[in-house]
Amino acid sequence: MKLDVEVLRYLSKDDFRVLTAVEMGMRNHEIVPAELISRIASLKHGGTYKVLKNLLKHKLVHHDSSKYDGFRLTYLGYDFLAIRTLVNRGVIVSVGRQIGVGKESDIFEVATEDGTVLAMKLHRLGRTSFRAVKSKRDYLRHRSSFSWLYLSRLAALKEFAFMKALEDHGFPVPKAVDCNRHCVIMSLVQGYSLVQVRQLQNPEVVFETVLGLIVRLAEHGLIHCDFNEFNIMIDDDEKVTMIDFPQMVSVSHRNAQMFFDRDVGCIYKFFAKRYNLSFQDDADDNNSAQAETDEAGRPSFSSISKSSGFLDKELAASGFTRKDQDDMEKVWFIEGDADSEEDEGEEHVSETNETNITNLDSLQIEDQEEQTNEEEVKVVANQLSEKAQSDGLVAKDDDYEEDEDEDDENATESDAELTKRLNKHKKRAIAAARGRQSRISSRNLYKDKGGRSSQSSKVQKNFGGW
């Protein structure tokens, strides 16, 4: 669908209000009912159907009356909402010509207030050329139903996040400016796609640079998955810039090795075919199960160490799971403990041996002291008990037996009295409960429950009987 921004200047606030109402209704409706649109828009003077008719004329919405009378947003209407938001933010002031078309996006030139030219990428998932999004992307995750507009929004957010993070880590990528809905604003790369370049002054240098980007991305925990001549930009000075990031995955992805080998294979194949570069690769170099390769051979996935960062964790890249995060934290914890233990162990081996010897001597001395203390305590306790019995302060064993008999008789009498008291309390509680039930039921006798009997009684009261 062609983006005609001239219509944008003739749309009123009511038009955008109704467009926003359709967008809000599409959160839980494939086709938004017209009554719901009118209720969400809540225009002051009404006229929602008139506004919808105007939007339908400019192809900003689509009408569907197969099941019920409803509308849905088109990509053009979604474009207008995103562009208007960016204009209100002051990011852009004008939209220029179209400079690129892809299987899932369109790219336009835009300008800022000071005249700086930027690039605007509009994601358009659901085209005939690329509809297998559910099997080739993980935008949906656990969702079963989706709309193409929502998937385009997720793709734009993902690309903006990847572009921002890669720029912060020094990768040659366009500068991310802003993002809204399915639209991403970025700096314009002054160059050409590598597929359009027929000759290079230093093809070997460019080849090494491009191949180094693949390895460097893997060291940061990411794999491009679509690293080919269409997504590599090169300027007049043969400076390389990579683009197109929504499909990037983590090195922990189950198909990470296949994606890595495919990216490397695309670069080798293109440079050998276009620029006639010859590579000294044996037949074994094509085997993905090879552990490590020479500097002259292809880089292998297994030989790359993820030591430069964890961008897949920061950006929640596809394939990076909670289990990988836990394993990574355990590795950090173990390595930190091992390093600290090794440093401390080398410095204090002699000190620990001396302390162990002194601890053993002290333990033997403490055991001897405890044994002597226990014997002294027993002797003193016996002397005190004999003195107390002679003075009559403590009863002897015979006296204890007589006191136990008297206590048994008193206990039987007290048990009988307790059972009598408990029975009395039970009877009082049962009586109180019955009294409450009867009171509660008596309260509802005079209430009017709306039955026939109550209605007839009202009539009799009003007319004095029949």
Side-chain angles (χ1 to χ4, degrees):
M1 183 179 293
K2 184 179 179 181
L3 178 63
D4 187 8
V5 292
E6 290 184 0
V7 181
L8 189 64
R9 67 182 68 179
Y10 300 111
L11 295 178
S12 63
K13 291 183 178 180
D14 291 344
D15 294 331
F16 282 105
R17 192 177 182 87
V18 174
L19 266 181
T20 308
V22 178
E23 181 189 15
M24 294 175 65
M26 288 185 67
R27 292 180 180 178
N28 49 12
H29 291 80
E30 184 178 358
I31 304 296
V32 188
E35 294 82 3
L36 182 60
I37 297 172
S38 178
R39 203 179 311 138
I40 295 173
S42 61
L43 300 179
K44 291 184 179 179
H45 306 289
T48 305
Y49 287 92
K50 183 179 179 181
V51 174
L52 285 171
K53 185 178 180 181
N54 184 36
L55 297 176
L56 190 62
K57 180 179 71 175
H58 296 296
K59 298 182 180 180
L60 303 181
V61 295
H62 175 75
H63 180 245
D64 190 350
S65 60
S66 58
K67 295 182 179 179
Y68 52 85
D69 189 24
F71 296 85
R72 63 172 176 83
L73 269 180
T74 61
Y75 265 117
L76 187 60
Y78 210 45
D79 295 341
F80 278 20
L81 286 173
I83 292 171
R84 183 172 183 266
T85 303
L86 293 170
V87 170
N88 292 336
R89 290 179 185 174
V91 179
I92 59 174
V93 294
S94 61
V95 180
R97 62 188 179 92
Q98 186 173 0
I99 58 176
V101 180
K103 64 180 184 298
E104 52 182 325
S105 62
D106 291 338
I107 303 171
F108 296 85
E109 284 184 345
V110 293
T112 60
E113 191 173 1
D114 58 354
T116 306
V117 180
L118 303 174
M120 179 179 66
K121 185 174 182 179
L122 298 172
H123 289 262
R124 302 193 187 281
L125 272 68
R127 285 176 168 171
T128 308
S129 59
F130 188 68
R131 284 183 172 267
V133 179
K134 192 171 182 180
S135 59
K136 297 183 182 296
R137 301 280 192 271
D138 69 333
Y139 302 149
L140 291 176
R141 295 185 183 273
H142 59 277
R143 302 177 185 88
S144 57
S145 59
F146 62 93
S147 66
W148 294 117
L149 296 179
Y150 181 67
L151 288 180
S152 301
R153 180 192 182 98
L154 294 179
L157 291 173
K158 203 164 188 177
E159 182 169 23
F160 183 78
F162 279 122
M163 201 184 307
K164 199 79 173 175
L166 293 175
E167 179 190 356
D168 295 339
H169 286 77
F171 283 89
V173 297
K175 182 181 179 181
V177 178
D178 201 351
C179 177
N180 182 260
R181 292 180 174 89
H182 67 313
C183 175
V184 180
I185 305 296
M186 66 189 80
S187 61
L188 182 64
V189 179
Q190 300 295 335
Y192 312 95
S193 177
L194 191 60
V195 72
Q196 300 174 353
V197 179
R198 296 294 176 185
Q199 291 181 353
L200 289 173
Q201 294 180 358
N202 300 308
E204 294 83 2
V205 176
V206 176
F207 171 76
E208 293 295 335
T209 304
V210 172
L211 205 62
L213 287 175
I214 299 176
V215 176
R216 191 176 163 200
L217 280 173
E219 290 176 350
H220 282 77
L222 294 173
I223 298 175
H224 192 280
C225 295
D226 197 15
F227 205 82
N228 50 40
E229 61 273 16
F230 296 96
N231 294 326
I232 299 173
M233 304 291 292
I234 189 167
D235 59 5
D236 296 333
D237 298 330
E238 296 187 354
K239 183 181 178 181
V240 175
T241 304
M242 58 180 179
I243 58 174
D244 194 14
F245 310 103
Q247 70 285 339
M248 294 183 76
V249 299
S250 168
V251 292
S252 303
H253 196 277
R254 59 182 180 180
N255 298 325
Q257 184 172 353
M258 184 268 290
F259 290 140
F260 181 85
D261 294 338
R262 187 179 68 181
D263 288 348
V264 173
C266 287
I267 299 302
Y268 268 85
K269 184 178 179 180
F270 175 76
F271 275 85
K273 185 176 180 180
R274 176 66 61 87
Y275 305 114
N276 298 322
L277 293 183
S278 59
F279 307 105
Q280 295 177 357
D281 290 342
D282 299 331
D284 295 336
D285 292 335
N286 296 325
N287 189 1
S288 60
Q290 185 178 357
E292 294 184 358
T293 58
D294 302 337
E295 294 182 357
R298 296 191 183 192
S300 66
F301 180 75
S302 58
S303 64
I304 295 173
S305 61
K306 187 180 173 183
S307 57
S308 300
F310 294 94
L311 287 179
D312 52 349
K313 176 192 172 184
E314 296 176 7
L315 302 172
S318 174
F320 186 84
T321 60
R322 182 64 65 93
K323 182 181 178 182
D324 297 327
Q325 183 175 355
D326 295 338
D327 294 340
M328 184 176 62
E329 291 175 355
K330 287 179 183 178
V331 170
W332 285 348
F333 180 75
I334 292 169
E335 288 178 354
D337 289 346
D339 294 338
S340 61
E341 287 176 359
E342 287 177 0
D343 296 336
E344 293 176 358
E346 291 175 357
E347 294 175 358
H348 304 289
V349 169
S350 60
E351 295 180 1
T352 53
N353 291 331
E354 293 177 359
T355 53
N356 289 331
I357 294 169
T358 54
N359 289 332
L360 288 173
D361 295 336
S362 61
L363 286 172
Q364 291 176 357
I365 294 167
E366 288 177 358
D367 292 337
Q368 293 176 359
E369 291 177 353
E370 287 178 359
Q371 290 177 1
T372 54
N373 290 330
E374 288 177 359
E375 292 176 356
E376 291 176 358
V377 169
K378 288 179 182 179
V379 172
V380 173
N382 292 329
Q383 292 176 358
L384 290 173
S385 62
E386 290 176 357
K387 186 177 180 181
Q389 288 179 3
S390 63
D391 294 338
L393 296 173
V394 179
K396 296 180 180 180
D397 295 336
D398 298 335
D399 297 334
Y400 281 124
E401 292 177 358
E402 292 176 0
D403 292 338
E404 287 177 358
D405 296 336
E406 291 177 0
D407 292 337
D408 293 337
E409 292 177 359
N410 293 329
T412 54
E413 292 177 359
S414 61
D415 291 339
E417 291 178 358
L418 286 172
T419 52
K420 288 180 182 180
R421 290 178 183 177
L422 289 173
N423 291 329
K424 286 182 181 180
H425 285 299
K426 286 181 182 178
K427 290 179 181 179
R428 289 177 184 175
I430 292 168
R434 290 176 179 174
R436 289 174 186 170
Q437 290 178 359
S438 61
R439 289 174 189 172
I440 291 169
S441 61
S442 63
R443 289 177 187 171
N444 297 328
L445 292 175
Y446 64 89
K447 285 188 177 180
D448 182 15
K449 296 185 179 180
R452 293 181 179 178
S453 60
S454 60
Q455 293 177 359
S456 61
S457 62
K458 288 180 182 178
V459 174
Q460 288 177 3
K461 287 179 182 179
N462 292 335
F463 295 98
W466 292 100

